[in-house]
Amino acid sequence: MLVFVYGTLTDPERVATVLEIDPPDAAAAFAGRATLEGLHRVDGRYPTLAPGGSVDGRLLAVDDAGLERLDRYEGVESGLYVRVAVPVVSRSDDRRGESSRTADDRCWVYVGEPDRLGVDATWPGTEPFRDRVDGVVSRTDIAVRRLE
């Protein structure tokens, strides 16, 4: 499965540590460059995302064990970050004029809770943070665009 990363996890050494793999093998975990459209990066104690704009990053290819390690690193259990599924499109989709996406064309994205990270990032609504993020992702054209 794929994970879009835009902060500390774009560094191969950090990926090697988090995924518990040998540093030379960390480069193999990267599945190319990508742009997340519909969300932009906001820097604070750790980077997070907010609605609007775009952010460049990389795609990581991980298995279930790797995803569990990433969840621990991102503090998902404690609510520091939430993990959401976002559609993935490629450049070839642009050339064909296609906009259809299936569940198989999704990747995971981590979004940090702004109050806990001390950043000014507004997510509309009054629901719990996870629900606000899920709502924005489901109602807008947020997508990860493969660049390679």
Side-chain angles (χ1 to χ4, degrees), residues 12-83:
E13 289 180 21
R14 179 69 52 106
V15 169
T17 300
V18 172
L19 295 181
E20 300 175 9
I21 55 179
D22 291 328
D25 296 332
F30 289 105
R33 294 180 313 110
T35 297
L36 176 58
E37 299 171 345
L39 298 174
H40 69 277
R41 180 176 163 155
V42 179
D43 289 316
R45 191 174 89 193
Y46 301 108
T48 188
L49 300 168
S54 65
V55 61
D56 291 332
R58 299 177 83 174
L59 293 170
L60 282 178
V62 299
D63 57 13
D64 289 337
L67 191 62
E68 288 176 24
R69 288 182 182 104
L70 291 172
D71 281 356
R72 277 194 306 275
Y73 176 77
E74 298 289 9
V76 170
E77 189 174 309
S78 70
L80 185 61
Y81 281 78
V82 297
R83 178 169 42 92

Side-chain angles (χ1 to χ4, degrees), residues 2-4 27 29-34 57-61 146-148:
L2 293 174
V3 179
F4 177 82
F30 289 105
R33 294 180 313 110
R58 299 177 83 174
L59 293 170
L60 282 178
R146 286 178 172 268
L147 300 177
E148 299 174 341

Side-chain angles (χ1 to χ4, degrees), residues 2-144:
L2 293 174
V3 179
F4 177 82
V5 295
Y6 55 92
T8 58
L9 289 171
T10 60
D11 174 46
E13 289 180 21
R14 179 69 52 106
V15 169
T17 300
V18 172
L19 295 181
E20 300 175 9
I21 55 179
D22 291 328
D25 296 332
F30 289 105
R33 294 180 313 110
T35 297
L36 176 58
E37 299 171 345
L39 298 174
H40 69 277
R41 180 176 163 155
V42 179
D43 289 316
R45 191 174 89 193
Y46 301 108
T48 188
L49 300 168
S54 65
V55 61
D56 291 332
R58 299 177 83 174
L59 293 170
L60 282 178
V62 299
D63 57 13
D64 289 337
L67 191 62
E68 288 176 24
R69 288 182 182 104
L70 291 172
D71 281 356
R72 277 194 306 275
Y73 176 77
E74 298 289 9
V76 170
E77 189 174 309
S78 70
L80 185 61
Y81 281 78
V82 297
R83 178 169 42 92
V84 295
V86 172
V88 176
V89 294
S90 67
R91 282 197 217 177
S92 61
D93 293 336
D94 287 340
R95 289 191 294 273
R96 292 190 307 251
E98 295 177 4
S99 61
S100 62
R101 301 170 185 139
T102 67
D104 293 336
D105 299 326
R106 295 191 175 271
C107 73
W108 294 112
V109 176
Y110 291 95
V111 180
E113 209 285 335
D115 292 338
R116 296 202 42 207
L117 296 176
V119 298
D120 184 20
T122 303
W123 286 85
T126 58
E127 305 89 3
F129 181 65
R130 169 172 260 317
D131 296 338
R132 288 184 280 152
V133 172
D134 285 339
V136 168
V137 169
S138 69
R139 290 188 308 267
T140 59
D141 288 332
I142 293 170
V144 170

